[in-house]
Amino acid sequence: MSDSFQMPAKLPELPYALNALEPVISEEIMNLHYNKHHLGYVNNLNKAVEQFEEAKQKNDLPAIIAFQSAIKFNGGGHVNHSIFWTNLSPINKDGGKTPEGALKVAIDQQFGSLEKFIDLFSQKAVAIQGSGWAWLGFNKALNRLEIQTCDNQDPLSTKGFIPLLGIDVWEHAYYLQYKNVRADYVKAIWSIVNWKNVSERYNQATKG
């Protein structure tokens, strides 16, 4: 599983229709999340990169610093969502099917079972204060899986991990459907997790 993030950034094509994740994620949420929020990150990232390059040419240090922050936020939003869409799949396809192979072995060894992993991951996702993401990442230095959380749109790579599975817990990801009950959203989303995609990411991360 290889992600390609070229510049200028482009909104990636969804691997399913906007209504394909129902009833877990409604078409209305998907339309807003994908066509408004994600597209907004893409457009703002391209604008910030252009402004950053202009600031560099002018040797304008305050502007350079300011645009780096905008690049991190919007770039992180683009990267995170691009992974998120592939981490999900309709229930009648790969959604909710249990992991197999090396990833299953690693999860069982490190967390005891898939059920225990999901419980721990869900607890950490629900407990995030404000907006952010919960991730299953691969720590290449220690050759192990780890559950991590990130604030706002900070990408997991800034913590030194390879992202495998991310759950977006910004309110825009669930509020229209689940209101303020984040726990219900997190519980429901496991039925559409694309473990085949996560396994491919794990296999690639552990190579070499």
Side-chain angles (χ1 to χ4, degrees), residues 111 117-129 132-135 146-150 167 169 182 186:
F111 301 101
F117 161 74
I118 289 175
D119 285 345
L120 181 59
F121 189 107
S122 298
Q123 290 173 25
K124 291 183 178 293
V126 172
I128 292 173
Q129 295 184 348
W133 290 74
W135 289 96
E146 294 190 27
I147 299 172
Q148 294 285 326
T149 60
C150 295
I167 292 183
V169 294
R182 180 188 287 177
V186 172

Tab-separated table of all heavy atoms in Angstrom, residues 111 117-129 132-135 146-150 167 169 182 186:
chain	number	residue	atom	x	y	z
A	111	PHE	N	-1.519	-6.937	21.836
A	111	PHE	CA	-2.706	-6.440	22.543
A	111	PHE	C	-3.553	-7.553	23.163
A	111	PHE	O	-4.500	-7.264	23.869
A	111	PHE	CB	-3.565	-5.595	21.601
A	111	PHE	CG	-2.850	-4.409	21.032
A	111	PHE	CD1	-2.335	-4.436	19.743
A	111	PHE	CD2	-2.659	-3.254	21.790
A	111	PHE	CE1	-1.658	-3.334	19.206
A	111	PHE	CE2	-1.993	-2.152	21.264
A	111	PHE	CZ	-1.491	-2.199	19.978
A	117	PHE	N	-7.665	-4.960	21.477
A	117	PHE	CA	-7.094	-3.825	20.743
A	117	PHE	C	-8.163	-2.782	20.457
A	117	PHE	O	-7.954	-1.583	20.688
A	117	PHE	CB	-6.465	-4.289	19.434
A	117	PHE	CG	-6.265	-3.172	18.447
A	117	PHE	CD1	-5.266	-2.233	18.617
A	117	PHE	CD2	-7.127	-3.030	17.356
A	117	PHE	CE1	-5.104	-1.179	17.723
A	117	PHE	CE2	-6.977	-1.989	16.460
A	117	PHE	CZ	-5.959	-1.061	16.648
A	118	ILE	N	-9.309	-3.234	19.939
A	118	ILE	CA	-10.391	-2.307	19.612
A	118	ILE	C	-10.858	-1.559	20.852
A	118	ILE	O	-11.113	-0.347	20.801
A	118	ILE	CB	-11.560	-3.054	18.939
A	118	ILE	CG1	-11.148	-3.493	17.526
A	118	ILE	CG2	-12.812	-2.179	18.882
A	118	ILE	CD1	-12.185	-4.335	16.805
A	119	ASP	N	-10.969	-2.251	21.975
A	119	ASP	CA	-11.387	-1.601	23.227
A	119	ASP	C	-10.405	-0.513	23.632
A	119	ASP	O	-10.808	0.614	23.978
A	119	ASP	CB	-11.505	-2.631	24.350
A	119	ASP	CG	-12.740	-3.501	24.223
A	119	ASP	OD1	-13.646	-3.126	23.451
A	119	ASP	OD2	-12.803	-4.553	24.887
A	120	LEU	N	-9.125	-0.817	23.579
A	120	LEU	CA	-8.099	0.153	23.985
A	120	LEU	C	-8.046	1.324	23.017
A	120	LEU	O	-7.982	2.497	23.436
A	120	LEU	CB	-6.737	-0.529	24.058
A	120	LEU	CG	-5.554	0.351	24.490
A	120	LEU	CD1	-5.800	0.950	25.869
A	120	LEU	CD2	-4.254	-0.459	24.477
A	121	PHE	N	-8.070	1.021	21.726
A	121	PHE	CA	-8.040	2.067	20.706
A	121	PHE	C	-9.242	2.991	20.863
A	121	PHE	O	-9.122	4.221	20.811
A	121	PHE	CB	-8.045	1.422	19.319
A	121	PHE	CG	-7.796	2.371	18.179
A	121	PHE	CD1	-6.578	2.360	17.496
A	121	PHE	CD2	-8.771	3.266	17.756
A	121	PHE	CE1	-6.352	3.221	16.443
A	121	PHE	CE2	-8.560	4.124	16.705
A	121	PHE	CZ	-7.347	4.103	16.045
A	122	SER	N	-10.416	2.395	21.067
A	122	SER	CA	-11.649	3.175	21.198
A	122	SER	C	-11.601	4.090	22.412
A	122	SER	O	-12.041	5.246	22.350
A	122	SER	CB	-12.859	2.238	21.291
A	122	SER	OG	-12.993	1.463	20.115
A	123	GLN	N	-11.085	3.582	23.521
A	123	GLN	CA	-10.955	4.393	24.726
A	123	GLN	C	-10.101	5.623	24.464
A	123	GLN	O	-10.443	6.741	24.882
A	123	GLN	CB	-10.343	3.565	25.855
A	123	GLN	CG	-11.236	2.488	26.413
A	123	GLN	CD	-10.501	1.590	27.402
A	123	GLN	OE1	-9.517	1.993	28.016
A	123	GLN	NE2	-10.970	0.360	27.540
A	124	LYS	N	-8.993	5.421	23.781
A	124	LYS	CA	-8.087	6.538	23.501
A	124	LYS	C	-8.712	7.520	22.508
A	124	LYS	O	-8.517	8.738	22.622
A	124	LYS	CB	-6.748	6.008	22.974
A	124	LYS	CG	-5.928	5.265	24.026
A	124	LYS	CD	-4.596	4.825	23.476
A	124	LYS	CE	-3.759	4.134	24.544
A	124	LYS	NZ	-3.355	5.067	25.622
A	125	ALA	N	-9.457	7.005	21.540
A	125	ALA	CA	-10.106	7.874	20.547
A	125	ALA	C	-11.181	8.730	21.202
A	125	ALA	O	-11.278	9.940	20.944
A	125	ALA	CB	-10.700	7.026	19.427
A	126	VAL	N	-11.992	8.124	22.043
A	126	VAL	CA	-13.081	8.854	22.702
A	126	VAL	C	-12.529	9.892	23.679
A	126	VAL	O	-13.123	10.964	23.859
A	126	VAL	CB	-14.018	7.859	23.438
A	126	VAL	CG1	-15.046	8.607	24.288
A	126	VAL	CG2	-14.724	6.956	22.431
A	127	ALA	N	-11.380	9.594	24.283
A	127	ALA	CA	-10.820	10.470	25.317
A	127	ALA	C	-10.081	11.688	24.775
A	127	ALA	O	-9.701	12.574	25.544
A	127	ALA	CB	-9.876	9.669	26.213
A	128	ILE	N	-9.877	11.766	23.451
A	128	ILE	CA	-9.170	12.912	22.884
A	128	ILE	C	-9.924	14.193	23.207
A	128	ILE	O	-11.129	14.291	22.969
A	128	ILE	CB	-9.012	12.758	21.354
A	128	ILE	CG1	-8.061	11.600	21.042
A	128	ILE	CG2	-8.508	14.058	20.713
A	128	ILE	CD1	-7.977	11.264	19.564
A	129	GLN	N	-9.226	15.155	23.754
A	129	GLN	CA	-9.856	16.432	24.094
A	129	GLN	C	-9.864	17.334	22.863
A	129	GLN	O	-8.832	17.586	22.257
A	129	GLN	CB	-9.104	17.098	25.246
A	129	GLN	CG	-9.181	16.320	26.548
A	129	GLN	CD	-8.499	17.042	27.703
A	129	GLN	OE1	-7.773	18.010	27.510
A	129	GLN	NE2	-8.753	16.576	28.916
A	132	GLY	N	-9.053	15.885	16.854
A	132	GLY	CA	-7.826	15.140	16.635
A	132	GLY	C	-8.083	13.801	15.975
A	132	GLY	O	-9.169	13.540	15.446
A	133	TRP	N	-7.070	12.954	16.036
A	133	TRP	CA	-7.103	11.642	15.397
A	133	TRP	C	-6.542	10.593	16.340
A	133	TRP	O	-5.617	10.872	17.121
A	133	TRP	CB	-6.247	11.639	14.136
A	133	TRP	CG	-6.799	12.437	12.999
A	133	TRP	CD1	-6.827	13.804	12.886
A	133	TRP	CD2	-7.388	11.929	11.808
A	133	TRP	NE1	-7.403	14.178	11.708
A	133	TRP	CE2	-7.751	13.049	11.016
A	133	TRP	CE3	-7.631	10.646	11.312
A	133	TRP	CZ2	-8.352	12.915	9.766
A	133	TRP	CZ3	-8.234	10.508	10.077
A	133	TRP	CH2	-8.593	11.627	9.315
A	134	ALA	N	-7.079	9.376	16.247
A	134	ALA	CA	-6.495	8.212	16.912
A	134	ALA	C	-5.904	7.315	15.827
A	134	ALA	O	-6.520	7.133	14.771
A	134	ALA	CB	-7.549	7.456	17.710
A	135	TRP	N	-4.729	6.778	16.094
A	135	TRP	CA	-4.007	6.022	15.065
A	135	TRP	C	-3.458	4.706	15.591
A	135	TRP	O	-3.009	4.629	16.741
A	135	TRP	CB	-2.816	6.828	14.546
A	135	TRP	CG	-3.162	8.004	13.694
A	135	TRP	CD1	-3.273	9.308	14.100
A	135	TRP	CD2	-3.436	7.987	12.291
A	135	TRP	NE1	-3.609	10.101	13.034
A	135	TRP	CE2	-3.711	9.330	11.912
A	135	TRP	CE3	-3.471	6.982	11.325
A	135	TRP	CZ2	-4.019	9.663	10.600
A	135	TRP	CZ3	-3.785	7.332	10.022
A	135	TRP	CH2	-4.052	8.665	9.669
A	146	GLU	N	1.814	0.501	17.698
A	146	GLU	CA	1.499	1.367	18.822
A	146	GLU	C	0.243	2.172	18.516
A	146	GLU	O	0.009	2.548	17.374
A	146	GLU	CB	2.655	2.321	19.144
A	146	GLU	CG	3.906	1.621	19.654
A	146	GLU	CD	4.947	2.591	20.194
A	146	GLU	OE1	4.551	3.686	20.642
A	146	GLU	OE2	6.142	2.247	20.156
A	147	ILE	N	-0.559	2.402	19.541
A	147	ILE	CA	-1.711	3.283	19.431
A	147	ILE	C	-1.272	4.682	19.828
A	147	ILE	O	-0.682	4.865	20.899
A	147	ILE	CB	-2.863	2.812	20.340
A	147	ILE	CG1	-3.327	1.417	19.936
A	147	ILE	CG2	-4.028	3.803	20.276
A	147	ILE	CD1	-4.333	0.799	20.897
A	148	GLN	N	-1.535	5.643	18.978
A	148	GLN	CA	-1.131	7.019	19.220
A	148	GLN	C	-2.308	7.955	18.953
A	148	GLN	O	-3.215	7.610	18.184
A	148	GLN	CB	0.040	7.417	18.308
A	148	GLN	CG	1.328	6.676	18.582
A	148	GLN	CD	2.019	7.170	19.838
A	148	GLN	OE1	1.950	8.360	20.161
A	148	GLN	NE2	2.689	6.264	20.541
A	149	THR	N	-2.296	9.104	19.561
A	149	THR	CA	-3.284	10.141	19.261
A	149	THR	C	-2.551	11.400	18.818
A	149	THR	O	-1.425	11.659	19.256
A	149	THR	CB	-4.180	10.458	20.476
A	149	THR	OG1	-3.374	10.925	21.559
A	149	THR	CG2	-4.961	9.228	20.906
A	150	CYS	N	-3.200	12.156	17.950
A	150	CYS	CA	-2.622	13.400	17.437
A	150	CYS	C	-3.649	14.517	17.552
A	150	CYS	O	-4.845	14.308	17.299
A	150	CYS	CB	-2.206	13.244	15.973
A	150	CYS	SG	-0.867	12.072	15.698
A	167	ILE	N	-8.598	7.028	12.801
A	167	ILE	CA	-10.007	7.385	12.980
A	167	ILE	C	-10.092	8.870	13.304
A	167	ILE	O	-9.485	9.344	14.267
A	167	ILE	CB	-10.666	6.541	14.090
A	167	ILE	CG1	-10.763	5.071	13.641
A	167	ILE	CG2	-12.059	7.079	14.412
A	167	ILE	CD1	-11.466	4.166	14.624
A	169	VAL	N	-11.692	11.988	14.732
A	169	VAL	CA	-12.674	12.310	15.769
A	169	VAL	C	-12.952	13.812	15.841
A	169	VAL	O	-13.405	14.323	16.861
A	169	VAL	CB	-12.271	11.748	17.158
A	169	VAL	CG1	-12.291	10.234	17.141
A	169	VAL	CG2	-10.918	12.260	17.605
A	182	ARG	N	-19.577	10.908	20.777
A	182	ARG	CA	-18.439	10.401	20.014
A	182	ARG	C	-18.276	8.899	20.186
A	182	ARG	O	-17.886	8.190	19.244
A	182	ARG	CB	-17.157	11.118	20.452
A	182	ARG	CG	-15.919	10.655	19.699
A	182	ARG	CD	-14.651	11.239	20.298
A	182	ARG	NE	-14.511	12.657	19.988
A	182	ARG	CZ	-13.510	13.411	20.459
A	182	ARG	NH1	-12.609	12.879	21.283
A	182	ARG	NH2	-13.432	14.696	20.131
A	186	VAL	N	-17.457	6.032	17.293
A	186	VAL	CA	-16.253	5.189	17.323
A	186	VAL	C	-16.639	3.716	17.364
A	186	VAL	O	-16.029	2.878	16.675
A	186	VAL	CB	-15.359	5.556	18.521
A	186	VAL	CG1	-14.212	4.565	18.665
A	186	VAL	CG2	-14.818	6.978	18.368
